[in-house]
Amino acid sequence: MSAASAQLNSTPTTAVTASEALPTAEQHGIKEHSDGRFGYVPVQTRSDRFKSVNVADFAAVTGREAVWKLSPVKKFADLTSGPLDGSVYPIDHTDVAGVRVDWVDRSDSRIGSAGAPEERASANAWSSFEQALSITISGEDAKEATVTRAALGSGARGAHTIIEAKPFSRAILILENTGEARLTENVEIILGESANLTVVSLQEWGDSAVHLTNHFATIGRDARLKHVVVTLGGSIVRVNPSVQLTGIGSDTELLGLYFADAGQHLEQQVFVNHVAPNTRSRVTYKGALQGQGARTVWIGDVLIGREAAGTDSYEQNRNLVLTEGTRADSIPNLEIETGDITGAGHASATGRFDDEQLFYLQSRGITEDEARRLVVRGFLSEIVQQIGSPLLEERLQAAVEAELTATEDN
Amino acid sequence: MSVLEIKDLHVSVETDQGTKQILHGVNLTINEGEIHAIMGPNGSGKSTLAYTIAGHPKYTVDSGSILLDGEEVTTMTVDQRARAGLFLAMQYPVEIPGVTVTNFLRTAKTAIDGTAPPIRTWIKDVRESMKQLRMDKSFAERNVNEGFSGGEKKRNEILQLELLKPKFAVLDETDSGLDVDALKIVAEGVNRAKENTGLGLLLITHYTRILRYIKPDFVHVFVDGRIAEQGGPELADRLEDEGYDRFLTESNVG
C-alpha cells in the first residue's frame, strides 16, 4: 500500500468555491478521537465494503467516511439525503444498427447484476429512479453511438442506466453530458463473453452542475472494456468507476482525463477487482489544474483476489499543476491476495508547470500562452489518442484547447 | 551588420537576505561573427550576465542597457528577445513533460520565424543536425530533456542553436560536465552554426578547456560583477597557467 498526495499551495481560499482548498478539521478528523486510537486505520479488503441498494441502510453523510473524506459533502447534501426526482428525463441519441436505447422498469433482470451502492448518494439514486435507461449493444460489426443528456435541469435527480454488450458484440458508446444538473446516479455496464466495448463518459456540464456517478462494470470471459472518463465542465463532478474482472481472460483499460479550473472539484475513485485468473487491467488518469481553488482527487484501488492467478495490472495517475492555489490528491492502493501474478504496479506523480519551464520555452521565442498550451496539450493528448474514435479525439483536443482559452480569460 | 551592445549594466537579485547587487557596470560590444569568451571565477556574475541578456525574471536591471542593433532589449519580454535574435544555451536546461523534442522545435521555429517552416526541408534539417550532433533518432519523440543525461541536454541546446539560427547566442557553461568526446561534438556544432549563419557568440566558461575547440576572438576576465581585463586568445592561455588568483587579490584589496 502506498499513498501520495500533493498539496502545492496551502493558502486558504476565501472565495466561495465548490472545492475547499483544505478540508475542515472536523471533516478530516484532524483531532484526537475520544477512543484514544488516533491514526488507527482498520484493515478492510476493498471488496468487503458495506453495500446496499437501500438508502436507509446508510447513516447520514458526515464527510468523515472513507469514500467522502476528500469531497465537499456539504455542497450536495440534497443528493445524499434529500428526496430525488427519479422520473424519466429527455435524451438524444444517434440511431445506429445494433444499439437499442429505451427505458426499462425496475424489475428488469439486469439491474443489480454489475454492482451495488457503497455510499449514500449512490443508494439514494438507486432507491429513487422510476425507470432505467437501457442501452443494449449487439452485433459483431464495429459501430459508434452517442447518447446525450443536455436538459436535466437544476432540481436534485436520481437516475439509473444499464449498458449491456451482448456476447461477441463490438461498439464505442459515448455518453455526453452538458447543461445544468444536480444528479446522483448509477450506471451498470455488463459485458458478455468476448464483447469488446468502449464507454466514453464525457462530462462537459455547465458551471454550476453537480454530478455524482458510480459506474459498475462486470466483464465476462475474454471480454474487453475500455472505459474513458473525460471531465472538463461542472462545479462538482465525481465519477467512480468500479470494474469486476469476473470472466477468465477479461481485460479492462481505464482512462481518465480531467481539467480543473478555479473552484472546480473533480474527483474519481477507481476500483479494479481482479476476480478471475488471467485478467489484465491498465489504469491511466491524467489531470491538469489551473486557478484558485481548483481541486482534483484520484483514488485508485486495485485488488488482486485469491483466485486471480496470472493477473497483469498497472495503475497510474499524473497531475499537472499550472498555477498556485490548487490541490491535487492522488492515492493509489494495491491489495494482492495471491503471489502467482504476472505483474502489478502503480505510480503517481504530481508535477507543476513552473517558472523555469516557462522561461525555457519563452527563451525559444514561444509566448507565455502558447507555452502553457503546448505543455497541457502534450500532457493530456496521451489519453485522448487512446480513445480509438478519430472524430471524438479531434473534438476532445478542441475541447481541451477551449478549456485553456477559457481559463486564460478568467 | 548586427551588433549587441551592453552598456554600463547594473543588475541585482532579490535574496532572502534582501537585494543583492551582482553586476556593477558591465560594458561589452559583440559584433556579428565575433566570438567573445567571458571567463571568471565562481560567483563573479557570469551567469547573471547570461540570464539578464535572456531576460530571466529573477534578475532586475537597475541601470544601463542592452542594445540589439540599437533596439533596447531590457524592456522586451523573454520571448520577444528570442524572436529579435537572441539565444541562451543554458547550463541546466529544464525538463518539459508532455512536449516532444519534435513538437518543441517546430513550435519554437514557427514562433521565431513567424511562419511554420516548410515541412520537408524542416524534417531534413532536423535530421541532419541531430545526426551531426550524434543524437539518436529516438530523441525526436522523447519529451524535452526528460531523462536526458547531462551531455544529451547540452547537445539538445546546440541542436536548437543550429536550427533556430539566432543573431547572437550566449553559451552558459556549455562545457561543464562534458567529457572530451562530448565536448568536441558540442564545439563542432557551435562552429558549424557560426559558419552557417555568422552569428556572434558570447561564451561563458570557468575553464579554458572549451577554448581549444572554439577559438575566441576576444577574452574578457569577469571578476566581482564587472570586466577586470580584456585581451585576445593569449589571455586565456595566461589564465590557464595562473588561474584567477591575481584578479581575486586585486578585487579584495580594491
Side-chain angles (χ1 to χ4, degrees), chain A residues 356-357 360 362 364-365 378, chain B residues 79 83 88 95 98 157 160:
Chain A
E356 292 306 320
Q357 291 169 332
Y360 188 78
Q362 279 189 286
R364 303 308 186 234
Chain B
D79 49 297
R83 291 197 296 273
L88 170 63
E95 298 181 0
E157 295 293 287
Q160 295 165 48

Side-chain angles (χ1 to χ4, degrees), chain A residues 268-380:
Chain A
Q268 29 263 311
Q269 298 189 16
V270 184
F271 174 36
V272 178
N273 189 0
H274 289 265
V275 180
N278 298 319
T279 50
R280 178 184 173 275
S281 69
R282 289 289 180 275
V283 179
T284 311
Y285 272 65
K286 293 182 99 172
L289 298 87
Q290 176 159 299
Q292 190 65 38
R295 175 79 196 276
T296 66
V297 176
W298 179 85
I299 300 174
D301 296 334
V302 172
L303 170 61
I304 300 173
R306 234 170 287 281
E307 309 299 320
T311 286
D312 178 7
S313 163
Y314 196 86
E315 60 165 348
Q316 61 169 327
N317 176 228
R318 300 261 184 261
N319 294 300
L320 180 63
V321 172
L322 296 167
T323 63
E324 301 271 303
T326 68
R327 174 173 162 157
D329 286 85
S330 178
I331 307 169
N333 297 307
L334 182 56
E335 245 182 295
I336 306 177
E337 295 181 334
T338 175
D340 183 16
I341 59 168
T342 305
H346 60 203
S348 161
T350 298
R352 52 178 304 171
F353 179 59
D354 62 23
D355 294 344
E356 292 306 320
Q357 291 169 332
L358 177 62
F359 173 71
Y360 188 78
L361 293 169
Q362 279 189 286
S363 79
R364 303 308 186 234
I366 300 164
T367 62
E368 180 170 354
D369 288 350
E370 177 65 15
R372 211 170 281 282
R373 270 199 293 272
L374 187 69
V375 167
V376 177
R377 206 190 287 136
F379 179 75
L380 295 179

Side-chain angles (χ1 to χ4, degrees), chain A residues 175-192:
Chain A
L175 307 172
E176 256 183 352
N177 295 299
T178 60
E180 289 314 312
R182 285 191 79 81
L183 173 67
T184 170
E185 63 167 345
N186 296 293
V187 176
E188 293 188 78
I189 303 169
I190 304 148
L191 265 67

Side-chain angles (χ1 to χ4, degrees), chain A residues 4-322:
Chain A
S5 77
Q7 183 192 329
L8 283 129
N9 191 321
S10 57
T11 314
T13 165
T14 46
V16 180
T17 59
S19 69
E20 301 289 355
L22 281 172
T24 60
E26 185 190 298
Q27 181 176 346
H28 232 186
I30 315 172
K31 55 181 180 183
E32 192 84 11
H33 288 273
S34 54
D35 64 1
R37 297 178 74 190
F38 182 48
Y40 172 73
V41 181
V43 174
Q44 182 195 43
T45 294
R46 178 62 178 85
S47 57
D48 287 349
R49 280 194 192 159
F50 176 74
K51 294 179 189 66
S52 172
V53 297
N54 185 2
V55 63
D57 291 344
F58 291 88
V61 172
T62 63
R64 288 190 290 272
E65 302 83 353
V67 288
W68 293 117
K69 67 178 181 181
L70 297 170
S71 312
V73 295
K74 289 201 176 79
K75 301 266 166 62
F76 49 79
D78 53 339
L79 298 179
T80 56
S81 62
L84 300 173
D85 173 4
S87 63
V88 166
Y89 49 83
I91 54 160
D92 272 327
H93 64 89
T94 50
D95 268 322
V96 177
V99 180
R100 197 176 75 236
V101 181
D102 50 11
W103 293 90
V104 297
D105 291 334
R106 290 183 65 100
S107 59
D108 190 288
S109 63
R110 298 169 300 178
I111 290 173
S113 60
E118 292 177 354
E119 36 84 352
R120 205 168 200 280
S122 174
N124 201 15
W126 203 297
S127 299
S128 309
F129 76 91
E130 289 166 14
Q131 284 193 305
L133 176 65
S134 161
I135 303 167
T136 311
I137 290 145
S138 55
E140 296 185 30
D141 295 331
K143 52 198 156 301
E144 185 173 316
T146 304
V147 177
T148 306
R149 299 187 291 192
L152 292 186
S154 52
R157 239 179 216 290
H160 199 99
T161 301
I162 294 280
I163 298 167
E164 185 193 7
K166 298 280 191 191
F168 300 98
S169 67
R170 194 145 74 106
I172 295 176
L173 175 65
I174 299 160
L175 307 172
E176 256 183 352
N177 295 299
T178 60
E180 289 314 312
R182 285 191 79 81
L183 173 67
T184 170
E185 63 167 345
N186 296 293
V187 176
E188 293 188 78
I189 303 169
I190 304 148
L191 265 67
E193 273 185 34
S194 292
N196 185 341
L197 178 67
T198 297
V199 174
V200 183
S201 186
L202 206 53
Q203 286 69 238
E204 293 185 288
W205 298 110
D207 289 342
S208 61
V210 177
H211 180 208
L212 310 174
T213 181
N214 291 275
H215 287 206
F216 302 102
T218 176
I219 319 294
R221 186 181 180 117
D222 295 329
R224 180 164 197 271
L225 171 69
K226 188 190 283 189
H227 185 270
V228 190
V229 176
V230 178
T231 304
L232 301 173
S235 171
I236 300 166
V237 181
R238 191 173 119 126
V239 181
N240 294 356
S242 168
V243 179
Q244 308 285 320
L245 293 165
T246 47
I248 295 171
S250 58
D251 182 316
T252 190
E253 183 131 17
L254 300 173
L255 301 168
L257 182 166
Y258 46 96
F259 195 129
D261 299 332
Q264 267 187 315
H265 177 102
L266 307 182
E267 179 168 351
Q268 29 263 311
Q269 298 189 16
V270 184
F271 174 36
V272 178
N273 189 0
H274 289 265
V275 180
N278 298 319
T279 50
R280 178 184 173 275
S281 69
R282 289 289 180 275
V283 179
T284 311
Y285 272 65
K286 293 182 99 172
L289 298 87
Q290 176 159 299
Q292 190 65 38
R295 175 79 196 276
T296 66
V297 176
W298 179 85
I299 300 174
D301 296 334
V302 172
L303 170 61
I304 300 173
R306 234 170 287 281
E307 309 299 320
T311 286
D312 178 7
S313 163
Y314 196 86
E315 60 165 348
Q316 61 169 327
N317 176 228
R318 300 261 184 261
N319 294 300
L320 180 63
V321 172
L322 296 167

